[in-house]
């Protein structure tokens, strides 16, 4: 953001545990701030009108569409993006691991939004039935996989988290 | 024995990166690049009287604004007509920026580059254009009527009329015991990948070289287009396809206007420039497909055997024809499916309308063709009171009739000859999988409960693996690691995994040691692209042939080093050994060292390879007809396409009150020849079925009569979520390997989507008892159809 005519707002965000201080215009979308001001490009933008879910992140624990929020509205928030789902030892988190095992992704573009959505969903409901797993991902669009393997991945992630002591988030 | 990898469910190597958020899609690259926005036509048809860009550059942070008047040289010429055809007598393409006239809502008029997209959009909003409105031609009926013309110099709106004929269908139909006529309509849909189009370019003024990253399906095609448009030598342009967020056909057009405007701006401004399409732009300015009207006449005997088939259809190709006649030619040839009609004629008109261009979308004309043929088969069965599978079986090409020559010309200009297949075998498997023979009793029970259920099936043959060629380059490093480059791009099909499986098996190296780069013109400048289910067939074959070439060279060098015959050697896990002599081995990495006699020693490996330590001093260090290095490059170029086949069946339930359509069971049998990775093939089928369900039940492009696309968002254009797809899909494979390529592969990328409209029409018709002739079909349309048919009763 090099433009001088737009008023900039100083903003502090904690993303994946790391504090960031950025200055952005009031109209800067949170998705753009994460991707281009902070440089965490794992969060993807598929529709910019809140329908596809590719840009889903967790803000203070809740899954939200980062393309529907101005960055300034996230002042002081604790945010988790897909980059923050990997375990502290560098291994894949349970949901990531399950996606790999179940072939739950093809092009990978919608995947970050699924991973954050499912991570939040499994925290709320750690042992979903198949039907509940379907509900959990029913707000995210994927054009490649046909979803069956993603539903499998939700159930598998629940098992992996269980095997690892019940923690679904990093 | 080398570890068998072809045919194994190997987990994908590309996933780690993508799952960690470390994927690199075009918009993720070159941080700090200037960003572009495009002024797009708000009108479907208008003359541009004046464009006023004054004041635009006054906005701080805006660096450039281009209109047609700013374009010079080849940039000022129309964009290329990529695939000319003798029948395409009135082909027209648009300009990179509209000159004088716009012909669809979304056509690019001006291109603005600014510090960021927000400012670029501000600047676009300041541009004033005065238009003189012209009447819009929307839809096939309006195009055929031709009261108005899309192009002044094409008064009938017909860009091409094409016909093919085998035998004398007119007399066959006239003299057949039975005959039927059908009118069948399919709506427009679109590929709609989750990532839109995106291009980034960087010009290096010191080296006079251009680097372009694009979410294209063809890096070499884009490279040629950019070089031609910017007046550069091919050698000055590199095009890289990073991770691509889905393509399904729409990213094969080369170039899109923005793909040449971005490099132009980058060169002019001396700064990196990026264009990332937003979703509304994707709806109104990226290609659609599927919209066709068909009229069928068929004559058949008492067994349902087709004696004569005559199809006339009208293809809506939108405002321009950059991709030629590929889609309607595919419809016209592939509608024959697994059948051998006694005689066949087809004629189509490809029509201009004031709507977005039409280029292939996954399946490319086949969904319409299969819909036409399978609706015809169902109608014949209905007329004769026969089981729908019996009528199909009566028309199948038999397993002992391959290669089967239809006597027609396919989309690649080659004869339409099917290479191999077993259609009766597929049908048997499908009937078992869906429980076809038990369905009547299932239906009776459902009816007793007040439920309406129906079963449908649809069969298809898919011409896959079209040429002309693909290539591969394989290099064994002195570390033993194997670097593979293919020119074909990838947009999520797992190429890094599937092709590494082939290399590992063919070369005899550990899978983990193989690393593949795709779609980078620096690694493989000769390639065609990813479309028409050709990746596995074409690049898979090229990779196999190249691996065999490298293997041969490795064995030759090893035989010299181990002083034995090549025939005594084998490669396992990256180690060459003498058969039956476990101590006599040499690592492939060491062979790579030996293959390259150096003068200088950079490290231990090169020290071992200097010409002072290897070779016979009496001979030249590199023999005549040889090259240094353990590497090879080879190409695969097939005589003609391979032909995969499959059959789908579905059981649907239609709600007696609301007309909601639910999927109870979905079954797929499939013959794509040799499977490289069954997990990836299954994924392709799942994804294809989902797109097929979308095309059959939900997706349509709603243009109003003035040519506005009124559902240009994901809120209004309905694509399947998890709640709309079958809960599970029963899949069975049958492998009839293709004799045309070294691995017997046939390709599987589009299979899942091809039969869907035909399939759901068949099942809904079965449930409801009246004909379904227009797809997609929504619950409200089904509800309306019910009323119509009740009125008639």
């Amino acid at each position: 953001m090099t433009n001088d005519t737009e008023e900039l707002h100083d903003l502090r965000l904690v993303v994946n545990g790391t504090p960031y201080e950025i200055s952005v215009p009031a109209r800067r979308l949170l998705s753009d701030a994460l991707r281009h001001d902070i440089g965490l490009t794992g969060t993807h933008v598929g529709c910019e009108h809140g329908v596809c879910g590719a840009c889903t992140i967790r803000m203070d624990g809740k899954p939200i569409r980062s393309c529907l929020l101005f960055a300034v509205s996230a002042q002081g928030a604790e945010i988790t993006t897909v980059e923050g789902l990997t375990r502290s030892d560098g291994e894949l988190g349970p949901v990531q691991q399950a996606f790999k095992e179940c072939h739950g992704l093809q092009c990978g573009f919608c995947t970050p939004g699924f991973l954050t959505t499912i991570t939040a969903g499994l925290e709320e409901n750690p042992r979903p039935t198949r039907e509940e797993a379907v509900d959990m991902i029913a707000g995210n669009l994927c054009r490649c996989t046909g979803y069956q393997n993603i539903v499998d991945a939700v159930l598998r992630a629940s098992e992996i988290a269980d095997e690892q002591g019940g923690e679904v988030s990093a | 024995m080398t570890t068998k990898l072809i045919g194994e469910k190997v987990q994908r190597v590309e996933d780690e990166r993508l799952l960690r958020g470390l994927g690199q899609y075009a918009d993720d690259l070159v941080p700090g690049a200037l960003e572009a926005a495009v002024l797009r036509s708000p009108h479907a048809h208008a003359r541009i009287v004046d464009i006023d860009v004054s004041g635009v550059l006054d906005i701080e942070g805006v660096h450039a604004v281009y209109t047609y008047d700013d374009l010079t040289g080849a940039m000022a010429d129309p964009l290329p007509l990529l695939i000319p055809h003798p029948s395409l007598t009135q082909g027209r393409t648009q300009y990179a920026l509209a000159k004088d006239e716009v012909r669809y809502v979304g056509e690019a008029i001006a291109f603005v580059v600014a510090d960021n997209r927000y400012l670029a959009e501000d600047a676009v909003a300041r541009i004033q254009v005065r238009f003189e409105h012209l009447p819009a031609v929307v839809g096939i009926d309006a195009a055929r009527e031709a009261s108005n013309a899309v192009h002044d110099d094409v008064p009938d709106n017909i860009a091409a009329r094409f016909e093919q004929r085998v035998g004398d269908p007119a007399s066959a139909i006239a003299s057949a015991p039975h005959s039927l006529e059908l009118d069948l309509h399919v709506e427009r849909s679109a590929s709609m990948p989750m990532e839109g189009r995106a291009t980034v370019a960087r010009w290096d003024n010191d080296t006079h070289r251009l680097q372009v990253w694009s979410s294209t399906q063809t890096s070499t095609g884009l490279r040629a287009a950019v070089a031609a448009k910017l007046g550069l030598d091919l050698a000055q342009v590199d095009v890289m396809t990073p991770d691509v967020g889905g393509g399904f056909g729409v990213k094969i057009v080369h170039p899109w206007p923005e793909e040449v405007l971005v490099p132009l701006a980058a060169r002019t401004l001396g700064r990196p420039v990026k264009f990332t399409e937003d979703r509304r732009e994707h709806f109104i300015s990226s290609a659609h497909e599927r919209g066709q009207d068909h009229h069928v006449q068929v004559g058949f005997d008492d067994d349902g055997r087709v004696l004569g088939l005559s199809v006339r259809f009208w293809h809506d190709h939108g405002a321009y024809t950059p991709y030629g006649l590929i889609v309607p030619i595919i419809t016209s040839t592939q509608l024959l499916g697994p059948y051998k009609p006694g005689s066949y004629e087809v004629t189509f008109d490809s029509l201009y309308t004031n709507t977005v261009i039409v280029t292939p979308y996954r399946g490319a004309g086949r969904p319409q063709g299969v819909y036409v043929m399978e609706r015809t088969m169902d109608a014949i069965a209905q007329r004769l009171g026969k089981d729908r599978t019996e009528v199909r079986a009566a028309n199948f090409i038999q397993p002992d009739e391959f290669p089967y020559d239809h006597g027609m010309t396919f989309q690649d200009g080659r004869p339409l000859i099917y290479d191999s297949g077993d259609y009766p075998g597929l049908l048997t498997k499908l009937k078992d999988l869906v429980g076809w023979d038990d369905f009547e009793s299932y239906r009776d029970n459902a009816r007793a409960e007040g439920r309406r259920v129906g079963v449908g099936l649809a069969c298809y043959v898919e011409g896959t693996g079209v040429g002309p060629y693909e290539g591969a380059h394989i290099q064994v490093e002195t570390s033993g690691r194997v670097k593979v480059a293919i020119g074909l791009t990838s947009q999520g099909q797992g190429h890094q995994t599937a092709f590494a499986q082939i290399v590992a098996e063919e070369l005899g190296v550990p899978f983990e040691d193989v690393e593949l780069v795709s779609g980078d013109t620096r690694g493989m400048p000769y390639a065609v692209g990813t479309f028409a289910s050709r990746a596995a067939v074409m690049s898979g074959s090229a990779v196999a042939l190249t691996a065999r070439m490298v293997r041969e060279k490795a064995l030759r060098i090893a035989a010299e080093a181990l002083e034995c015959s090549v025939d005594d050697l084998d490669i396992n896990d990256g180690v060459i050994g003498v058969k039956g002599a476990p101590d006599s081995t040499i690592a492939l990495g060491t062979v790579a060292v030996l293959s390259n006699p150096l003068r200088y020693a950079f490290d231990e490996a090169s020290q071992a390879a200097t010409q002072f330590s290897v070779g016979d001093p009496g001979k030249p260090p590199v023999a005549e007809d040889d090259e240094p290095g353990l590497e090879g490059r080879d190409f695969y170029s097939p005589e003609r396409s391979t032909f995969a086949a499959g059959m789908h069946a579905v059981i649907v339930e239609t709600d007696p009150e609301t007309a909601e359509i639910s999927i109870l069971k979905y079954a797929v049998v499939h013959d794509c020849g040799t499977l490289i990775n069954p997990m990836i093939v299954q994924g392709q089928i799942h994804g294809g079925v989902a797109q097929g369900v979308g095309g059959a039940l939900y997706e349509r492009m709603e243009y109003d009569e003035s040519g506005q696309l009124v559902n240009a968002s994901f809120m209004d254009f309905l694509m399947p979520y998890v709640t709309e797809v079958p809960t599970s899909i029963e899949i069975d494979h049958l492998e009839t390997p293709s004799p045309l390529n070294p691995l017997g592969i046939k390709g599987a990328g589009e299979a899942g989507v091809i039969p869907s409209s035909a399939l759901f029409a068949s099942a809904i018709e079965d449930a409801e008892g009246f004909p379904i002739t227009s797809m997609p079909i929504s619950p409200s349309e089904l509800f309306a159809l019910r009323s119509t048919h009740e009125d008639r009763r």
Side-chain angles (χ1 to χ4, degrees):
Chain A
M1 307 296 297
T2 57
N3 176 260
D4 295 334
T5 56
E6 280 189 279
E7 190 189 341
L8 299 182
H9 302 267
D10 293 334
L11 182 63
R12 184 187 155 87
L13 301 172
V14 178
V15 187
N16 306 326
T18 305
Y20 292 88
E21 288 183 7
I22 55 174
S23 292
V24 294
R27 62 176 173 169
R28 188 82 163 158
L29 296 177
L30 179 57
S31 50
D32 284 338
L34 290 169
R35 290 176 46 74
H36 301 304
D37 297 311
I38 292 177
L40 294 170
T41 53
T43 299
H44 295 151
V45 178
C47 70
E48 239 181 338
H49 49 262
V51 180
C52 77
C55 70
T56 306
I57 57 156
R58 299 183 71 188
M59 193 161 96
D60 298 328
K62 292 197 176 66
I64 61 143
R65 310 288 213 224
S66 62
C67 79
L68 288 186
L69 205 67
F70 292 124
V72 289
S73 321
Q75 166 71 350
E78 293 264 353
I79 287 168
T80 306
T81 66
V82 64
E83 288 93 339
L85 299 183
T86 306
R87 287 184 354 191
S88 51
D89 63 2
E91 295 296 309
L92 294 179
V95 186
Q96 292 169 314
Q97 181 62 35
F99 264 63
K100 185 176 172 176
E101 288 179 20
C102 299
H103 188 32
L105 67 154
Q106 289 182 21
C107 80
F109 195 82
C110 69
T111 308
F114 273 94
L115 296 176
T116 48
T117 302
I118 295 165
T119 304
L122 285 177
E123 267 180 27
E124 207 170 282
N125 178 9
R127 284 180 197 77
T129 61
R130 195 167 183 94
E131 208 170 301
E132 288 165 339
V134 166
D135 279 349
M136 206 177 277
I137 61 166
N140 289 58
L141 269 175
C142 170
R143 193 61 162 164
C144 294
T145 69
Y147 304 106
Q148 290 87 356
N149 289 348
I150 299 180
V151 178
D152 289 345
V154 175
L155 301 174
R156 177 66 190 133
S158 159
E159 282 174 16
I160 295 173
D162 220 27
E163 286 159 16
Q164 292 180 352
E167 285 298 310
V168 72
S169 342
Chain B
M1 211 19 228
T2 300
T3 315
K4 183 174 155 35
L5 278 163
I6 297 172
E8 295 301 307
K9 292 184 178 180
V10 177
Q11 279 187 11
R12 303 202 321 169
V13 291
E14 38 274 87
D15 290 355
E16 280 282 323
R17 206 163 34 81
L18 302 175
L19 288 165
R20 290 172 187 269
L22 302 177
Q24 292 205 302
Y25 301 84
D27 187 62
D28 305 342
L29 302 168
V30 196
L34 302 177
E35 293 187 308
V38 179
L39 173 67
R40 300 188 184 280
S41 173
H43 306 299
H45 198 187
R47 223 178 304 286
I48 298 171
V49 179
D50 179 59
I51 306 179
D52 179 5
V53 296
S54 62
V56 170
L57 287 170
D58 297 340
I59 302 175
E60 189 164 350
V62 174
H63 295 265
V65 54
Y66 296 87
T67 65
Y68 176 80
D69 290 342
D70 300 303
L71 305 179
T72 55
M75 278 297 292
D77 296 334
L79 294 171
L81 200 166
L82 286 165
I83 311 177
H85 188 278
S87 297
L88 185 54
T89 53
Q90 304 296 329
R92 299 287 182 276
T93 58
Q94 69 186 84
Y95 293 86
L97 293 169
K99 177 179 189 263
D100 306 330
E101 196 168 326
V102 284
R103 294 189 179 86
Y104 63 92
V105 170
E107 186 164 353
I109 295 174
F111 186 77
V112 174
V113 182
D115 281 344
N116 60 60
R117 173 75 183 216
Y118 295 69
L119 291 168
E121 288 186 18
D122 288 349
V124 160
R126 269 208 203 176
I127 301 171
Q128 303 283 329
V129 184
R130 275 202 296 134
F131 293 100
E132 180 190 323
H133 295 270
L134 297 168
V137 178
V138 181
I140 289 172
D141 290 344
R144 284 179 64 186
E145 198 176 283
S147 307
N148 299 299
V150 175
H151 296 270
D152 284 347
D153 54 351
V154 188
D156 58 2
N157 291 318
I158 299 173
R161 176 167 293 169
F162 182 63
E163 2 184 329
Q164 289 204 71
R165 177 179 294 112
V166 183
D168 182 2
S171 25
I173 296 166
S175 60
H178 313 275
S179 65
L180 270 171
E181 293 194 33
L182 291 97
D183 286 296
L184 299 161
H185 174 71
V186 182
E187 267 291 340
R188 265 195 188 205
S189 185
S191 301
M192 219 43 74
M194 295 309 297
E195 180 206 31
R197 298 180 295 117
T199 304
V200 198
R202 182 155 61 190
W203 172 255
D204 185 329
N205 208 33
D206 295 330
T207 58
H208 284 251
R209 290 184 65 80
L210 182 69
Q211 284 185 301
V212 182
W213 292 264
S214 169
S215 63
T216 182
Q217 290 177 231
T218 170
S219 52
T220 50
L222 179 56
R223 183 192 194 209
V226 168
K229 282 289 175 193
L230 268 61
L232 296 167
D233 292 341
L234 212 49
Q236 288 173 278
V237 183
D238 298 322
V239 176
M240 286 74 72
T241 47
D243 290 315
V244 175
F248 315 116
V250 69
K251 293 174 180 173
I252 188 72
V253 174
H254 43 292
W256 287 100
E258 297 83 358
E259 284 175 325
V260 286
L261 290 163
V262 165
L264 175 74
R267 184 175 65 174
T268 310
L269 298 170
R271 300 264 307 267
V273 176
K274 178 192 300 191
F275 167 75
T276 302
E277 183 184 58
D278 70 24
R279 189 51 60 181
R280 177 169 163 77
E281 288 184 292
H282 188 80
F283 271 99
I284 63 168
S285 61
S286 292
H288 302 166
E289 210 226 88
R290 306 283 199 254
Q292 281 181 185
D293 279 348
H294 316 80
H295 181 73
V296 181
Q297 291 175 277
V298 62
F300 47 98
D301 66 16
D302 294 340
D303 296 326
R305 170 104 180 88
V306 174
L307 305 173
L309 176 67
S310 173
V311 178
R312 180 90 173 85
F313 74 96
W314 295 267
H315 172 76
D316 170 4
H317 63 230
Y320 302 98
T321 53
Y323 215 73
L325 301 177
I326 293 297
V327 171
I329 290 178
I330 293 177
T331 297
S332 71
T333 47
Q334 295 266 262
L335 72 77
L336 291 169
Y339 312 115
K340 43 172 186 180
S343 56
Y344 173 53
E345 69 183 358
V346 60
T347 306
F348 67 77
D349 285 349
S350 202
L351 300 168
Y352 286 112
T353 57
N354 288 112
T355 54
V356 177
I357 58 165
V358 164
T359 68
Y361 159 35
R362 198 176 193 178
R366 295 178 188 87
Q368 301 95 311
V370 169
Y371 171 69
V372 167
M373 192 58 150
E374 294 298 288
R375 294 279 65 213
T376 303
M377 287 291 161
D378 284 352
I380 294 171
Q382 171 75 22
R383 169 68 63 88
L384 297 175
K386 282 185 170 299
D387 185 282
R388 286 167 284 168
T389 60
E390 263 179 63
V391 170
R392 285 168 169 85
N395 285 284
F396 281 153
I397 296 163
Q398 295 302 308
D400 61 2
E401 292 179 295
F402 293 96
Y404 187 84
D405 188 348
H406 277 289
M408 300 186 73
T409 304
F410 191 40
Q411 59 128 326
D412 53 4
R414 305 267 163 159
L416 185 71
I417 300 175
Y418 292 177
D419 47 349
S420 60
D422 176 3
Y423 309 139
L426 285 171
L427 184 61
T428 304
K429 278 174 177 279
L430 185 75
K431 287 174 72 172
D432 287 349
L433 214 53
V434 79
W436 185 268
D437 291 334
D438 303 329
F439 187 75
E440 279 310 317
S441 60
Y442 176 79
R443 187 210 309 272
D444 291 344
N445 291 337
R447 272 192 187 143
E449 294 167 15
R451 297 166 55 212
R452 287 188 200 187
V453 293
V455 67
L457 86 160
C459 313
Y460 64 90
V461 169
E462 179 193 2
T464 54
V466 294
Y469 67 84
E470 285 298 334
H473 178 261
I474 298 178
Q475 178 169 26
V476 181
E477 303 226 324
T478 54
S479 62
R481 292 192 61 80
V482 182
K483 305 288 183 180
V484 185
I486 56 168
L488 190 104
T489 60
S490 179
Q491 56 265 350
Q493 306 99 317
H495 291 167
Q496 288 181 350
T497 306
F499 297 141
Q501 286 177 251
I502 296 174
V503 173
E505 179 164 326
E506 292 286 342
L507 190 50
V509 296
F511 173 77
E512 298 72 32
D513 283 355
V514 183
E515 188 186 311
L516 179 127
V517 173
S518 62
D520 184 334
T521 60
R522 295 169 302 184
M524 174 46 73
Y526 297 98
V528 182
T530 310
F531 56 91
S533 301
R534 68 190 295 282
V537 181
M538 301 300 302
S539 288
S541 297
V543 161
L545 292 174
T546 309
R548 288 174 192 180
M549 174 191 257
V550 172
R551 179 188 169 89
E552 201 180 297
K553 181 167 186 179
L555 293 178
R556 172 164 55 81
I557 296 166
E560 218 165 284
L562 297 169
E563 296 177 334
C564 65
S565 154
V566 165
D567 299 336
D568 295 337
L569 295 174
D570 204 358
I571 313 182
N572 282 306
D573 266 345
V575 177
I576 303 177
V578 180
K579 288 172 197 162
D583 295 336
S584 214
T585 62
I586 184 167
L588 211 52
T590 311
V591 176
V593 172
L594 298 178
S595 72
N596 182 15
L598 297 166
R599 183 165 183 87
Y600 305 115
F602 314 103
D603 53 20
E604 262 181 54
S606 52
Q607 201 169 1
T610 70
Q611 58 181 318
F612 297 101
S613 43
V614 294
D616 180 344
K619 290 181 186 168
V622 178
E624 207 178 321
D625 295 334
D626 204 0
E627 289 176 5
L630 184 51
E631 63 183 299
R633 183 168 93 159
D634 204 354
F635 292 86
Y636 169 67
S637 181
E639 199 181 323
R640 53 181 185 269
S641 294
T642 49
F643 287 87
M647 298 175 188
H648 293 205
V650 71
I651 297 177
V652 301
E653 176 161 2
T654 57
D655 189 291
E657 300 290 327
T658 64
E660 191 185 344
I661 300 153
S662 331
I663 302 166
L664 302 184
K665 189 167 189 178
Y666 202 106
V668 175
V669 293
H670 188 245
D671 176 6
C672 59
T674 307
L675 302 173
I676 304 170
N677 185 329
M679 183 190 78
I680 290 175
V681 173
Q682 184 218 48
Q684 289 291 320
I685 292 173
H686 283 182
V689 167
Q691 285 186 335
V693 167
L697 302 179
Y698 302 100
E699 297 168 12
R700 65 177 75 233
M701 291 295 172
E702 289 281 359
Y703 277 100
D704 71 12
E705 59 189 19
S706 67
Q708 295 290 338
L709 184 61
V710 298
N711 65 337
S713 85
F714 280 168
M715 278 184 274
D716 306 300
F717 176 81
L718 304 178
M719 297 200 301
Y721 284 86
V722 67
T723 38
E724 279 68 54
V725 300
T727 312
S728 69
I729 302 173
E730 309 286 331
I731 300 174
D732 197 358
H733 297 284
L734 185 151
E735 293 184 48
T736 62
S738 172
L740 298 177
N741 63 68
L743 299 176
I745 302 169
K746 287 183 168 182
E750 299 165 283
V753 81
I754 290 172
S756 314
S757 282
L759 178 69
F760 280 94
S762 181
I764 295 167
E765 184 171 292
D766 189 48
E768 297 287 327
F770 49 76
I772 303 294
T773 58
S774 185
M775 294 298 277
I777 183 161
S778 65
S780 53
E781 283 159 332
L782 181 57
F783 190 87
L785 275 178
R786 280 179 184 169
S787 317
T788 313
H789 287 278
E790 274 160 19
D791 290 349
R792 282 185 196 162
R793 274 170 200 159

